[in-house]
Amino acid sequence: MESDLSSQDKKDLDKFIKFFALKTVQVIVQARLGEKICTRSSSSPTGADWFNLAIKDIPEVTHEAKKALAGQLPGIGRSMCVEISLKTSEGDSMELETWCLEMNEKCDKDIKVSYTVYNRLSLLLKSLLAITRVTPAYKLSRRQGHDYVILYRIYFGEVQLAGLGEGFQTVRVGVVGTPIGTITLSCAYRTNLAFMSTRQFERTAPIMGIIIDHFVERPFANMGHMHPCNYRTAGEDDGVTFAGVEDSQEVCTTSFSTSPPSQCVFTVSKTHFKSHKAAVMDGHRVPVMGSACSHQLYSSRISYQPPALGATELCYPAVFNAAHPHQLLVPGKEGGVPQMPLQPCHGAQAEHSRVPSCPPVDPTHHNPTTPSSGSEDTETLSRSSEGKSASPSDALETTFTRKVGAFVNKPATQVTMASLELPFAAFAPKAFDLEENDPMVHPPESPATASPLQGSLHSQDSSDSSGQAQDDFVMVDFKPAFSKDDLLPMDLGTFYREFQNPPQLASLSIDVSAQSMAEDLDSLPEKLALYEKNIDEFDAFVDTLQ
Amino acid sequence: MNCRSEVLEVSVEGRQVDEAMLAMLHTILLHRSTGKFHYKKEGTYSIGTVGTQDIDCDFIDFTFVRVSSEELDRAIRKAVGEFKEALGNSGSDGMGQISLEFYQKKKSRWPFSDECIPWEVWSIKVNVVNLANEQERQICREKVGEKLGEKVINIVEVINRHEYLPKMPTQSEVDNVFDTSLKDVQPYLYKITYQITDSLGTSVSTTMRRLIKDTLAL
């Protein structure tokens, strides 16, 4: 049968199919990156663009695809599949769609390989471009970032559609007949998204009805691995070395955008650092957006470094220090309110000697008693921090209340410390240690407002329990911007805890009330006499009111 | 040959007309455009590269892909703009049809002008609705987005039947098959026309023929 096909044609056809498969994967994965794709037309042929289409090649994707193919080509019974799935920040995952490149036995002998098949493959790629924007997963992928991410997986062999749930739909992108079989490209997509937790998604029967959290920003897609507008030489291996791929389930798009700063609380977990310089880019793919804005937002992400640094090297972030980790009140300012030891900021207590090495604390927030209390509790906290350092990633991953992006499998970056003077000072263009001054990350203290979340996330008990009991918690430190107060230099959490149970009002206390009634009655005649004496004053007052 | 004809119908709100038309026309043109041909000796040619661009619609929950060519986009927008204006002027009912026709030129001897032989015609029927409140508009956004998705799938289905396409021309014939006036891409020769039907359903007598590519030599 294949004798009809010249060897040159056969070689060409194999090459076409191979590169078609690779380009198909690129198109699908790029369509799920979460951002708009734009490539330029070029009238002068470079000879490097397969199928005369400007489709960039992301090296990892190519690598993954080649790995999956392992030198084989899609053929009869050997399909290449790209599975797109969604993974929430809580770790739930769900398959959304599976794109299948299959071949069946129906041959078209008369077709010209080098011309017709090539052009039809090109047409099929264009159709793929169009269809990838139409399936439901596209909208989901455009909104990924905070609550969930989109992942892809390439496999070769039998098509597995079981993970798509019941009632999945299929859309056929197209077919191209070749002398050795007919290539079909199709997509099976899930319609039943009911597994989504209601916390994040509304359950509706039609797939389009999924409402993602409204405050999810358009993420910045990961462009770090995308080729700048250079095209691969056709037929060559990319030869690009890049970070190795550990497992086949790769993060397809990494929208490392921060949650919008206006969102509630920021959680900061253990703040181990080697230095307090923010290593924001550690391990993260930088969104190559190029705008100052993106840098700003990016750098305000908080996360933590793996605790490989030794628990003793804890540097207390000045921001949470916010003057006193331990004292709630500056003595004498509130007069009469007892000083209580503050729940230490979760996970990190500066050895006092380290505090000066942090960015200068706001001088107005100093607490003269901090040193003494610092030393008392340092030990407790170091112990508790050490205890926690054993399994930081697990504990912290599960309790990220801040939507720091769901790629918490590889936590990275660093918390910075700073004390903030000016709200929104960070929004002026600055370098990367912006995070330290970012008011959204570390807003100034606000004794005036109490965040209800503070209470819920912290036990109000003694500092002892805070260490162990809060293994699963991350500290919530809410500091609304523009709410700076020099008079009461304590952080909000401590303030809230302190004043949650105020002492009873004197007039309401029971001892007094028994007598008061009798006294009141007795004093009535005297009071009446007094009022009658002053009746003119009262009348004048009433006149002013009218 | 027989000209194949496809009809697509949509109901949209007034401000969605532009984007809905653009989405469909561009999707069709994406499939019906190639890179620029560069003819070499011995009758061979090489083909330039076509880039693509994702376009988000503002009034519809939809994103479509179009060819990266500003010139082509301008031409299509112009046609759609005229169509929309005509729709607006026709009266409150707002029904009309815009047609994208791919044709081939056939040179005739003098004094006859060249013939334009269509080989594929896409007719998009539009029904403009008026919505009362914001909630309905929001629903309409999503619904029209879904509908356009279905239309894109329909378009792709038709195109993938791989029915008649003009033969690749030689250098002398290329202008009879392709529109070579653009500098970055080369769509097949096309023209866009539209018709407005008034509320009685009859075709308005002035069927405006908007020639994007001038084919009437005489």
Side-chain angles (χ1 to χ4, degrees):
Chain A
M1 263 202 274
E2 296 213 351
S3 57
D4 293 342
L5 200 60
S6 76
S7 67
Q8 181 57 41
D9 273 352
K10 177 78 173 66
K11 264 195 340 200
D12 285 345
L13 187 59
D14 285 345
K15 209 155 121 178
F16 294 169
I17 294 177
K18 173 184 169 193
F19 281 94
F20 179 74
L22 294 177
K23 287 293 182 181
T24 296
V25 175
Q26 289 285 348
V27 168
I28 295 169
V29 169
Q30 288 175 26
R32 298 288 174 262
L33 285 182
E35 63 154 29
K36 298 203 287 190
I37 305 294
C38 176
T39 57
R40 289 177 53 191
S41 305
S42 158
S43 72
S44 39
T46 61
D49 300 316
W50 274 94
F51 308 106
N52 308 118
L53 282 174
I55 298 173
K56 290 183 191 161
D57 283 325
I58 303 177
E60 285 93 333
V61 176
T62 308
H63 178 81
E64 274 299 297
K66 285 184 175 169
K67 214 170 82 165
L69 286 171
Q72 293 183 303
L73 288 179
I76 297 164
R78 298 189 314 265
S79 311
M80 189 188 75
C81 301
V82 181
E83 182 187 284
I84 301 290
S85 55
L86 177 149
K87 183 169 174 183
T88 65
S89 50
E90 286 134 2
D92 294 324
S93 83
M94 179 167 82
E95 276 174 45
L96 292 178
E97 42 182 36
T98 300
W99 298 83
C100 309
L101 178 61
E102 302 169 286
M103 189 177 282
N104 66 33
E105 288 127 357
K106 187 173 164 210
C107 303
D108 185 346
K109 293 278 186 278
D110 302 323
I111 203 168
K112 279 190 68 179
V113 169
S114 62
Y115 165 71
T116 311
V117 172
Y118 190 82
N119 286 339
R120 288 189 179 175
L121 288 175
S122 174
L123 207 55
L124 190 53
L125 271 179
K126 290 175 182 170
S127 300
L128 182 66
L129 280 164
I131 300 280
T132 44
R133 275 55 171 178
V134 160
T135 54
Y138 181 71
K139 290 212 181 86
L140 288 175
S141 69
R142 287 291 295 268
R143 295 186 196 142
Q144 68 184 291
H146 307 294
D147 297 317
Y148 62 92
V149 286
I150 305 290
L151 308 176
Y152 73 92
R153 178 172 82 93
I154 308 172
Y155 63 90
F156 193 69
E158 292 280 324
V159 179
Q160 298 150 22
L161 298 178
L164 295 173
E166 295 204 358
F168 64 85
Q169 303 267 3
T170 313
V171 61
R172 194 171 76 165
V173 181
V175 298
V176 172
T178 75
I180 60 173
T182 300
I183 296 173
T184 15
L185 186 52
S186 60
C187 171
Y189 59 90
R190 170 186 277 271
T191 52
N192 175 20
L193 289 181
F195 113 113
M196 298 287 201
S197 72
T198 45
R199 184 173 78 81
Q200 288 175 327
F201 304 94
E202 278 178 34
R203 293 183 202 184
T204 51
I207 197 166
M208 294 298 190
I210 295 299
I211 310 288
I212 312 300
D213 263 338
H214 73 277
F215 49 73
V216 173
E217 281 185 316
R218 293 245 183 249
F220 301 115
N222 169 33
M223 302 272 296
H225 299 292
M226 290 190 66
H227 249 243
C229 290
N230 298 327
Y231 297 120
R232 295 214 166 280
T233 311
E236 295 302 320
D237 279 354
D238 49 28
V240 173
T241 55
F242 58 95
V245 172
E246 273 88 353
D247 53 273
S248 63
Q249 184 105 10
E250 281 244 290
V251 175
C252 174
T253 70
T254 58
S255 75
F256 284 83
S257 64
T258 60
S259 8
S262 55
Q263 253 190 64
C264 63
V265 292
F266 300 113
T267 63
V268 176
S269 57
K270 306 174 210 298
T271 54
H272 305 136
F273 338 76
K274 277 191 186 147
S275 72
H276 54 267
K277 189 179 65 156
V280 187
M281 296 304 149
D282 180 41
H284 274 199
R285 288 163 257 192
V286 179
V288 179
M289 297 299 276
S291 67
C293 174
S294 69
H295 284 316
Q296 302 279 344
L297 289 175
Y298 188 97
S299 61
S300 65
R301 286 197 65 220
I302 300 179
S303 72
Y304 64 93
Q305 266 188 3
L309 312 171
T312 51
E313 295 249 315
L314 300 177
C315 189
Y316 189 70
V319 62
F320 301 107
N321 184 358
H324 350 233
H326 302 292
Q327 303 301 325
L328 292 176
L329 303 166
V330 176
K333 290 224 172 142
E334 289 293 317
V337 179
Q339 290 184 353
M340 283 165 48
L342 172 66
Q343 273 57 270
C345 286
H346 183 76
Q349 172 56 42
E351 293 173 31
H352 183 60
S353 58
R354 293 210 166 263
V355 174
S357 70
C358 306
V361 183
D362 180 2
T364 63
H365 295 160
H366 72 276
N367 176 13
T369 63
T370 300
S372 55
S373 53
S375 57
E376 287 161 13
D377 290 90
T378 301
E379 222 190 16
T380 317
L381 287 169
S382 324
R383 267 188 279 118
S384 60
S385 306
E386 279 172 15
K388 281 176 289 213
S389 64
S391 62
S393 35
D394 297 335
L396 290 163
E397 273 181 24
T398 57
T399 58
F400 266 103
T401 60
R402 178 162 186 259
K403 314 276 192 272
V404 167
F407 324 100
V408 291
N409 289 325
K410 300 178 203 164
T413 76
Q414 247 180 351
V415 184
T416 62
M417 351 178 272
S419 67
L420 173 71
E421 289 301 328
L422 302 171
F424 298 114
F427 285 70
K430 270 192 227 163
F432 266 120
D433 50 358
L434 195 58
E435 188 172 353
E436 303 169 12
N437 298 323
D438 186 348
M440 288 313 197
V441 170
H442 311 300
E445 307 158 358
S446 159
T449 59
S451 159
L453 288 165
Q454 294 277 345
S456 64
L457 284 174
H458 283 276
S459 66
Q460 297 150 26
D461 304 327
S462 65
S463 55
D464 294 352
S465 62
S466 67
Q468 302 307 326
Q470 289 174 9
D471 257 350
D472 295 331
F473 286 91
V474 289
M475 192 194 79
V476 172
D477 212 345
F478 181 53
K479 296 187 180 123
F482 295 116
S483 54
K484 197 167 132 71
D485 189 301
D486 295 342
L487 299 175
L488 198 59
M490 67 174 69
D491 65 275
L492 184 62
T494 59
F495 173 81
Y496 184 78
R497 280 188 295 279
E498 168 66 8
F499 292 109
Q500 267 201 330
N501 298 307
Q504 288 269 329
L505 290 176
S507 56
L508 296 177
S509 62
I510 306 232
D511 334 340
V512 182
S513 65
Q515 312 165 8
S516 62
M517 194 64 155
E519 280 176 6
D520 283 345
L521 289 173
D522 290 343
S523 65
L524 269 179
E526 293 162 19
K527 287 189 187 162
L528 283 172
L530 187 63
Y531 297 152
E532 281 183 12
K533 208 168 73 170
N534 295 331
I535 200 165
D536 296 327
E537 278 179 43
F538 291 129
D539 284 341
F541 174 69
V542 169
D543 286 335
T544 61
L545 289 176
Q546 287 173 355
Chain B
M1 88 275 337
N2 288 330
C3 166
R4 64 173 170 272
S5 167
E6 304 296 333
V7 179
L8 305 162
E9 286 193 48
V10 280
S11 284
V12 296
E13 204 204 347
R15 59 187 186 167
Q16 296 173 323
V17 171
D18 281 315
E19 287 174 339
M21 297 301 104
L22 282 173
M24 285 190 275
L25 292 173
H26 271 303
T27 301
I28 299 167
L29 278 165
L30 168 71
H31 292 87
R32 291 286 179 246
S33 302
T34 70
K36 296 284 289 177
F37 281 13
H38 294 270
Y39 284 94
K40 299 185 277 211
K41 290 183 212 158
E42 300 141 17
T44 60
Y45 60 92
S46 57
I47 309 180
T49 302
V50 171
T52 57
Q53 220 174 331
D54 286 344
I55 305 292
D56 286 337
C57 295
D58 293 325
F59 298 110
I60 313 175
D61 278 346
F62 190 65
T63 302
F64 63 93
V65 181
R66 69 166 163 92
V67 169
S68 287
S69 166
E70 289 305 321
E71 283 178 87
L72 185 62
D73 188 39
R74 269 201 298 272
I76 304 301
R77 278 179 189 275
K78 186 160 165 243
V80 170
E82 286 163 2
F83 173 63
K84 182 168 176 191
E85 210 179 291
L87 261 185
N89 293 339
S90 71
S92 62
D93 204 300
M95 276 183 63
Q97 175 176 298
I98 193 166
S99 297
L100 173 60
E101 180 186 304
F102 292 102
Y103 64 95
Q104 268 179 276
K105 264 200 279 193
K106 192 168 156 196
K107 294 251 185 269
S108 308
R109 290 177 198 275
W110 186 90
F112 303 105
S113 64
D114 295 340
E115 260 182 278
C116 295
I117 306 171
W119 51 271
E120 188 173 75
V121 177
W122 298 84
S123 301
I124 305 173
K125 293 199 166 123
V126 183
N127 179 27
V128 180
V129 296
N130 289 318
L131 298 177
N133 62 43
E134 201 50 46
Q135 195 184 8
E136 280 182 36
R137 286 201 190 99
Q138 185 59 34
I139 297 173
C140 192
R141 270 184 78 101
E142 291 161 14
K143 285 224 170 329
V144 172
E146 287 174 29
K147 263 286 173 215
L148 284 181
E150 286 171 30
K151 297 302 157 198
V152 164
I153 294 176
N154 290 351
I155 291 170
V156 162
E157 218 178 341
V158 168
I159 287 182
N160 262 274
R161 288 187 211 145
H162 297 302
E163 292 168 345
Y164 174 79
L165 276 183
K167 266 186 355 197
M168 283 298 149
T170 58
Q171 189 165 13
S172 51
E173 299 272 300
V174 70
D175 286 314
N176 293 341
V177 176
F178 286 103
D179 175 355
T180 50
S181 63
L182 304 171
K183 62 179 192 324
D184 43 13
V185 294
Q186 194 174 284
Y188 282 99
L189 279 174
Y190 69 94
K191 56 168 97 106
I192 299 182
T193 60
Y194 60 85
Q195 279 175 289
I196 308 293
T197 48
D198 64 19
S199 49
L200 298 177
T202 58
S203 177
V204 173
S205 58
T206 55
T207 299
M208 300 283 299
R209 196 162 182 81
R210 308 298 304 168
L211 298 177
I212 304 302
K213 175 97 170 104
D214 189 14
T215 59
L216 294 176
L218 287 183

